[in-house]
Amino acid sequence: MRAKISKPKCKNSWRSSRGAWARSSAAVAISIMKSNLLMLLLAAAIAVGTPVKTYAAETATEDAEAAWKTVQKALRPPTPPAEWQTNRPSAEEIEKFQQRQGRLAAEAADRAKDFYTRFPNHPKAAEARKKEYEMAGIAARLGSTDIEPRLAALEAERAKDPGLNEDERFELRARSVQRAAMKKQSEGIAAVSAEMEKGARSLLKEFPERPEVYGMLLQVASNSEGDQARKIAHEIVDDAAAPDDVKNAAKGLLKKLDALGKPVALKYTALDGREVDLAKLNGKVVLVDFWATWCAPCVAEVPNVKAAYEKLHPMGFEIVGVSFDQDEEALEKFVAKEKMTWPQYFDGKGWENKFGREFGITGIPAMWLIDKKGVLRDMNGREELADKVEKLLNE
């Protein structure tokens, strides 16, 4: 059986995103450095009567400023190709882009190390050390295995620092947990989730007040099956220390799990005026597609959904869309451009979407498959969609 890797989703705001590389303003930093340096030199001149500036000092300052600009430039993440917004990239294209990201992150780590090595007393030296660690971690997560020994050494060094605050210590441990989980990808999503749960529970013992740990556990529950998912979700709901937003998301997950194996009631007037009622589609296999045009993973799935529809619609396969868009015109234009002929629900409320709230949807795309009897059979239609639909059609 082929191992299944978790695909990306657009997620509601309770989940924090750690994917973007940090950005800061080089111009502001340089301005502050110049101001501080001038004040120090003026103070020294008043105290000992030496000239305010020397050629060597100017040269050192200019070198440091230029080096820091180079670091700042290297820290900027590469932008995905624009065509990915409308055309689903192939697995090879994604892999190639991630490899490039990994190489650039490793180069950024090298730039940061070069900076604090050459300018150990510079005000930005400490920040450069942090950036080296951050970029090395990103490079490792993106598959640069040759940087892992260096990352382990950096983590060991940072862990010995008595000056680390709780946020820094937690980040250090959380990244280690995430990296350990990602190493299990080749074994499938169940192995990744098991390792993530193990690490999250360890973190919960070390940092019982950190809300992020409950988010990690909820992620595990969302990627788990049946009883295991229910167990973790109930645990979150019943834990007084869990943040309210994560508890609400866990309640939504329980609601979704309870819906599995039961009829789904869904009735609306579509964007184009068509009346939609799942109860009237008995005898058909129906995909309920929760999505949005602003969600890149949703857009990436459109070719896959269209291909399944074109192939299987004549055999009794239908799709009903539930859009989380807030811009009606943007939705209409996108649907027309992509020739998505199935009906779309739209209320303009984004994450407050009527059916999103009713069915506990916290991440999109979410693809539910309804069988010929109107019963919810699969909440992950995104994986092997056409095969699953064909199987249900043959029942």
Side-chain angles (χ1 to χ4, degrees), residues 32-63:
I32 292 171
M33 283 188 285
K34 285 181 175 179
S35 176
N36 289 347
L37 181 62
L38 182 58
M39 289 178 68
L40 287 172
L41 289 172
L42 285 170
I46 292 170
V48 299
T50 57
V52 171
K53 292 183 179 180
T54 67
Y55 176 76
E58 285 183 344
T59 302
T61 301
E62 290 171 0
D63 287 348

Short mmCIF file of all heavy atoms in Angstrom, two decimals, residues 32-63:
data_model
loop_
_atom_site.label_atom_id
_atom_site.label_comp_id
_atom_site.label_asym_id
_atom_site.label_seq_id
_atom_site.Cartn_x
_atom_site.Cartn_y
_atom_site.Cartn_z
N ILE A 32 19.33 52.60 12.88
CA ILE A 32 19.54 52.51 14.33
C ILE A 32 21.01 52.30 14.65
O ILE A 32 21.58 52.91 15.55
CB ILE A 32 18.69 51.37 14.91
CG1 ILE A 32 17.21 51.73 14.82
CG2 ILE A 32 19.06 51.08 16.37
CD1 ILE A 32 16.29 50.59 15.18
N MET A 33 21.68 51.43 13.88
CA MET A 33 23.11 51.15 14.12
C MET A 33 23.95 52.42 13.92
O MET A 33 24.84 52.71 14.71
CB MET A 33 23.59 50.05 13.17
CG MET A 33 23.16 48.65 13.59
SD MET A 33 23.94 47.38 12.59
CE MET A 33 23.03 47.54 11.07
N LYS A 34 23.61 53.17 12.86
CA LYS A 34 24.38 54.40 12.61
C LYS A 34 24.20 55.38 13.76
O LYS A 34 25.15 56.00 14.23
CB LYS A 34 23.92 55.04 11.31
CG LYS A 34 24.41 54.33 10.06
CD LYS A 34 23.93 55.05 8.82
CE LYS A 34 24.50 54.43 7.56
NZ LYS A 34 24.02 55.11 6.34
N SER A 35 22.96 55.55 14.21
CA SER A 35 22.66 56.49 15.28
C SER A 35 23.38 56.09 16.57
O SER A 35 24.01 56.91 17.23
CB SER A 35 21.14 56.54 15.51
OG SER A 35 20.84 57.37 16.60
N ASN A 36 23.29 54.81 16.93
CA ASN A 36 23.94 54.32 18.15
C ASN A 36 25.45 54.48 18.08
O ASN A 36 26.10 54.88 19.05
CB ASN A 36 23.59 52.86 18.40
CG ASN A 36 22.14 52.70 18.83
OD1 ASN A 36 21.49 53.67 19.17
ND2 ASN A 36 21.65 51.47 18.80
N LEU A 37 26.01 54.15 16.92
CA LEU A 37 27.46 54.23 16.76
C LEU A 37 27.93 55.68 16.89
O LEU A 37 28.94 55.98 17.55
CB LEU A 37 27.85 53.67 15.40
CG LEU A 37 29.36 53.67 15.10
CD1 LEU A 37 30.09 52.79 16.10
CD2 LEU A 37 29.61 53.19 13.68
N LEU A 38 27.20 56.62 16.27
CA LEU A 38 27.60 58.02 16.34
C LEU A 38 27.55 58.53 17.78
O LEU A 38 28.47 59.23 18.23
CB LEU A 38 26.66 58.86 15.46
CG LEU A 38 26.97 60.37 15.40
CD1 LEU A 38 28.39 60.58 14.88
CD2 LEU A 38 25.96 61.09 14.51
N MET A 39 26.53 58.14 18.53
CA MET A 39 26.42 58.56 19.92
C MET A 39 27.59 58.03 20.74
O MET A 39 28.16 58.72 21.57
CB MET A 39 25.09 58.09 20.51
CG MET A 39 23.87 58.83 19.95
SD MET A 39 22.32 58.23 20.62
CE MET A 39 22.50 58.77 22.32
N LEU A 40 27.96 56.77 20.51
CA LEU A 40 29.08 56.18 21.25
C LEU A 40 30.39 56.90 20.92
O LEU A 40 31.21 57.18 21.81
CB LEU A 40 29.19 54.69 20.90
CG LEU A 40 28.11 53.77 21.50
CD1 LEU A 40 28.23 52.38 20.90
CD2 LEU A 40 28.26 53.71 23.01
N LEU A 41 30.59 57.19 19.65
CA LEU A 41 31.82 57.86 19.26
C LEU A 41 31.90 59.28 19.81
O LEU A 41 32.95 59.76 20.22
CB LEU A 41 31.93 57.89 17.73
CG LEU A 41 32.20 56.53 17.07
CD1 LEU A 41 32.08 56.63 15.56
CD2 LEU A 41 33.58 56.02 17.45
N LEU A 42 30.75 59.98 19.81
CA LEU A 42 30.72 61.32 20.37
C LEU A 42 31.03 61.29 21.86
O LEU A 42 31.77 62.13 22.37
CB LEU A 42 29.35 61.96 20.14
CG LEU A 42 29.07 62.45 18.70
CD1 LEU A 42 27.60 62.83 18.54
CD2 LEU A 42 29.98 63.63 18.37
N ALA A 43 30.47 60.30 22.55
CA ALA A 43 30.73 60.18 23.99
C ALA A 43 32.21 59.92 24.24
O ALA A 43 32.81 60.48 25.15
CB ALA A 43 29.88 59.05 24.58
N ALA A 44 32.80 59.07 23.40
CA ALA A 44 34.22 58.76 23.57
C ALA A 44 35.07 59.99 23.30
O ALA A 44 36.06 60.24 23.98
CB ALA A 44 34.61 57.63 22.61
N ALA A 45 34.68 60.77 22.31
CA ALA A 45 35.44 61.98 21.98
C ALA A 45 35.42 62.98 23.11
O ALA A 45 36.44 63.60 23.44
CB ALA A 45 34.85 62.62 20.71
N ILE A 46 34.24 63.13 23.76
CA ILE A 46 34.13 64.06 24.88
C ILE A 46 34.97 63.58 26.05
O ILE A 46 35.63 64.33 26.74
CB ILE A 46 32.66 64.20 25.29
CG1 ILE A 46 31.87 64.91 24.18
CG2 ILE A 46 32.51 64.96 26.60
CD1 ILE A 46 30.37 64.89 24.38
N ALA A 47 34.98 62.24 26.25
CA ALA A 47 35.65 61.68 27.42
C ALA A 47 37.17 61.74 27.28
O ALA A 47 37.87 62.06 28.24
CB ALA A 47 35.22 60.24 27.64
N VAL A 48 37.71 61.42 26.11
CA VAL A 48 39.16 61.29 26.00
C VAL A 48 39.77 62.27 25.00
O VAL A 48 40.98 62.28 24.81
CB VAL A 48 39.56 59.85 25.60
CG1 VAL A 48 39.08 58.87 26.65
CG2 VAL A 48 38.97 59.48 24.24
N GLY A 49 38.92 63.05 24.35
CA GLY A 49 39.45 64.05 23.44
C GLY A 49 40.01 63.53 22.15
O GLY A 49 40.83 64.19 21.54
N THR A 50 39.58 62.33 21.69
CA THR A 50 40.05 61.77 20.43
C THR A 50 39.12 62.18 19.31
O THR A 50 37.99 62.59 19.55
CB THR A 50 40.08 60.23 20.50
OG1 THR A 50 38.78 59.77 20.83
CG2 THR A 50 41.08 59.78 21.53
N PRO A 51 39.54 62.09 18.04
CA PRO A 51 38.67 62.44 16.92
C PRO A 51 37.42 61.57 16.91
O PRO A 51 37.47 60.41 17.30
CB PRO A 51 39.55 62.15 15.68
CG PRO A 51 40.95 62.21 16.19
CD PRO A 51 40.90 61.72 17.61
N VAL A 52 36.31 62.14 16.46
CA VAL A 52 35.05 61.41 16.45
C VAL A 52 35.11 60.23 15.50
O VAL A 52 34.58 59.17 15.76
CB VAL A 52 33.89 62.36 16.06
CG1 VAL A 52 32.60 61.58 15.84
CG2 VAL A 52 33.70 63.39 17.15
N LYS A 53 35.70 60.38 14.33
CA LYS A 53 35.71 59.31 13.33
C LYS A 53 37.13 58.95 12.95
O LYS A 53 38.02 59.79 12.95
CB LYS A 53 34.95 59.74 12.07
CG LYS A 53 33.45 59.91 12.29
CD LYS A 53 32.78 60.27 10.97
CE LYS A 53 31.28 60.42 11.15
NZ LYS A 53 30.61 60.77 9.87
N THR A 54 37.35 57.71 12.62
CA THR A 54 38.60 57.26 12.04
C THR A 54 38.27 56.48 10.80
O THR A 54 37.16 55.94 10.65
CB THR A 54 39.38 56.35 13.02
OG1 THR A 54 38.65 55.13 13.18
CG2 THR A 54 39.59 57.02 14.35
N TYR A 55 39.22 56.37 9.91
CA TYR A 55 39.00 55.63 8.66
C TYR A 55 38.68 54.16 8.96
O TYR A 55 37.78 53.57 8.36
CB TYR A 55 40.24 55.72 7.78
CG TYR A 55 40.13 54.91 6.52
CD1 TYR A 55 39.35 55.37 5.45
CD2 TYR A 55 40.78 53.68 6.40
CE1 TYR A 55 39.23 54.61 4.30
CE2 TYR A 55 40.65 52.93 5.25
CZ TYR A 55 39.87 53.39 4.20
OH TYR A 55 39.75 52.64 3.08
N ALA A 56 39.39 53.56 9.93
CA ALA A 56 39.18 52.15 10.25
C ALA A 56 37.77 51.91 10.78
O ALA A 56 37.11 50.94 10.43
CB ALA A 56 40.21 51.69 11.29
N ALA A 57 37.29 52.84 11.62
CA ALA A 57 35.94 52.67 12.18
C ALA A 57 34.90 52.77 11.09
O ALA A 57 33.93 52.01 11.06
CB ALA A 57 35.69 53.74 13.25
N GLU A 58 35.09 53.74 10.18
CA GLU A 58 34.13 53.90 9.09
C GLU A 58 34.09 52.64 8.23
O GLU A 58 33.03 52.17 7.84
CB GLU A 58 34.52 55.10 8.22
CG GLU A 58 34.21 56.45 8.86
CD GLU A 58 34.56 57.59 7.90
OE1 GLU A 58 35.28 57.34 6.92
OE2 GLU A 58 34.11 58.71 8.16
N THR A 59 35.26 52.11 7.92
CA THR A 59 35.34 50.92 7.07
C THR A 59 34.67 49.73 7.74
O THR A 59 33.93 48.99 7.09
CB THR A 59 36.81 50.59 6.77
OG1 THR A 59 37.42 51.72 6.13
CG2 THR A 59 36.91 49.37 5.85
N ALA A 60 34.93 49.55 9.04
CA ALA A 60 34.33 48.41 9.76
C ALA A 60 32.81 48.53 9.79
O ALA A 60 32.09 47.55 9.60
CB ALA A 60 34.88 48.35 11.18
N THR A 61 32.33 49.76 10.02
CA THR A 61 30.88 49.98 10.06
C THR A 61 30.25 49.69 8.71
O THR A 61 29.21 49.03 8.61
CB THR A 61 30.57 51.42 10.48
OG1 THR A 61 31.13 51.66 11.76
CG2 THR A 61 29.06 51.65 10.53
N GLU A 62 30.88 50.20 7.63
CA GLU A 62 30.35 49.97 6.30
C GLU A 62 30.35 48.49 5.94
O GLU A 62 29.40 47.99 5.35
CB GLU A 62 31.17 50.77 5.28
CG GLU A 62 30.94 52.27 5.38
CD GLU A 62 31.92 53.06 4.53
OE1 GLU A 62 32.75 52.42 3.86
OE2 GLU A 62 31.85 54.30 4.53
N ASP A 63 31.41 47.78 6.32
CA ASP A 63 31.48 46.34 6.06
C ASP A 63 30.36 45.60 6.79
O ASP A 63 29.73 44.70 6.24
CB ASP A 63 32.84 45.78 6.52
CG ASP A 63 33.96 46.19 5.58
OD1 ASP A 63 33.65 46.71 4.49
OD2 ASP A 63 35.13 46.00 5.96
#
